[in-house]
Amino acid sequence: MMNWWKGLKGKIRFSEPLKEHTTFKIGGPAEFFVEPKDIRDLKLLINLKSRYKLPLLVLGAGSNILASDDGLKGIVVRLSSPFFKKVAFRKNSIEAGSGVILSRVINLAKERGLSGLEFMAGMPGTIGGALMMNAGTSERSIADLVEKVTVIDYYNNVKTIGKEKIKFGYRKSSLTKFIILSVSLKLARKNKGKIKEEIAERLNYRRLTQDLTLPSAGCVFQNPKGGSAGRMIDLCGLKGSSIRGAVVSLKHANFIVNRSSARAKDILELMDLARARVKKKFGVRLNPEIKIWQ
Ligand code: EPU
């Protein structure tokens, strides 16, 4: 396995602290942190993964991840080179590389008077990450807009999959068995002013109801059927509860914020506490929405 990275055209870093790449500002060192330059680089990494049975994880914008304090063995890939950040418009559709930040796609569509993405305004993350977990609100999710997705599988085949062949559920998709390369989303023409207005409204609602000043990964739990995890945790009286540097946000109880040098361990303990209290009070089992890498 000596010096396998010599063949890479992209960037590689060794023992890279994941806390610098997650919105939680938490996470120990990734053994290999790679930003592939293109598909050829990505194929090289996939070959290594199979040959040496190395774990390989794809990091989007790091906005929905809780990474272990002890770090991770193997390869963490970030699709942040220009190759994975291309955007093109075709009629009323937008085709975006998986590494494009969601807010950029939303803004480019707005500038062209293309509507559909407004409901995601204020969501952090990349378009690939959003797709992988079928990000959305209670009314809509990104799956509603998908036309087709281009992926690479772990046998190095690149293929384009039509929407009908993809399974989407609440915050999940069958795309997790691939690495997403790009996606084509169907939008609709609309008055630019109206699009702007809706985006502004969404951003404002978030600013009013969510803690956007301290590091976090957004909502830590999925909403249970017909309910709100935030409301339940709030009704358990847990706002402001803390374990070392990790605190249940005073603004939104489904947010855990990193007030000061919180560790993954602290966040997990606080999540356990919230789960236990909600189970006891409401008989409801909460499932994590954030991805736990350990
Ligand atoms: N509520 C409380 N106390 C709280 C938090 C919320 O009583 O501490 C109440 C609110 O007053 C409201 C209800 O619970 O009546 C729902 O709250 P909110 O509108 O904030 O929506 P949510 O279901 O908690 C979802 C998404 C958010 C997304 C918002 C706004 C999930 C798990 N969460 O939150 O997504 O930003 O809607 O669209 O689906 C995320 O995915 O990371 C995330 C934050």
Side-chain angles (χ1 to χ4, degrees), residues 137 205-206 210 219 221 223 228 231 234 239 252-253 289:
T137 61
Y205 181 72
R206 272 172 191 269
Q210 303 179 354
C219 289
F221 294 109
N223 280 338
S228 156
R231 193 204 305 262
D234 189 0
K239 274 185 175 166
H252 196 299
E289 152 158 9

Side-chain angles (χ1 to χ4, degrees), residues 40-113:
R40 208 178 132 237
D41 265 4
L42 201 51
K43 286 185 170 174
L44 190 147
L45 296 173
I46 292 169
N47 275 336
L48 279 162
K49 171 186 166 56
S50 340
R51 192 173 332 144
Y52 300 105
K53 304 219 170 353
L54 281 180
L56 186 154
L57 291 165
V58 182
L59 181 79
S63 55
N64 202 44
I65 282 163
L66 180 62
S68 161
D69 301 309
D70 301 328
L72 295 168
K73 285 250 168 292
I75 308 168
V76 171
V77 175
R78 192 171 62 176
L79 302 176
S80 43
S81 67
F83 182 88
F84 298 101
K85 287 190 166 182
K86 293 179 202 154
V87 178
F89 286 89
R90 209 160 295 121
K91 292 191 190 140
N92 287 353
S93 298
I94 182 170
E95 177 155 9
S98 56
V100 182
I101 295 294
L102 213 46
S103 59
R104 178 146 186 267
V105 182
I106 296 170
N107 280 327
L108 288 172
K110 176 189 76 184
E111 289 310 317
R112 297 200 167 219

Side-chain angles (χ1 to χ4, degrees), residues 8 15-16 19 34 44 47-48 63 73 80 112-113 116 121 166 200 208 210 228 235 261 263 265 268 275 283:
L8 274 177
S15 295
E16 175 70 6
K19 63 160 68 169
V34 186
L44 190 147
N47 275 336
L48 279 162
S63 55
K73 285 250 168 292
S80 43
R112 297 200 167 219
I166 308 170
L208 289 172
Q210 303 179 354
S228 156
L235 289 171
S261 326
R263 296 170 302 175
K265 199 169 157 276
L268 289 171
R275 287 185 98 184

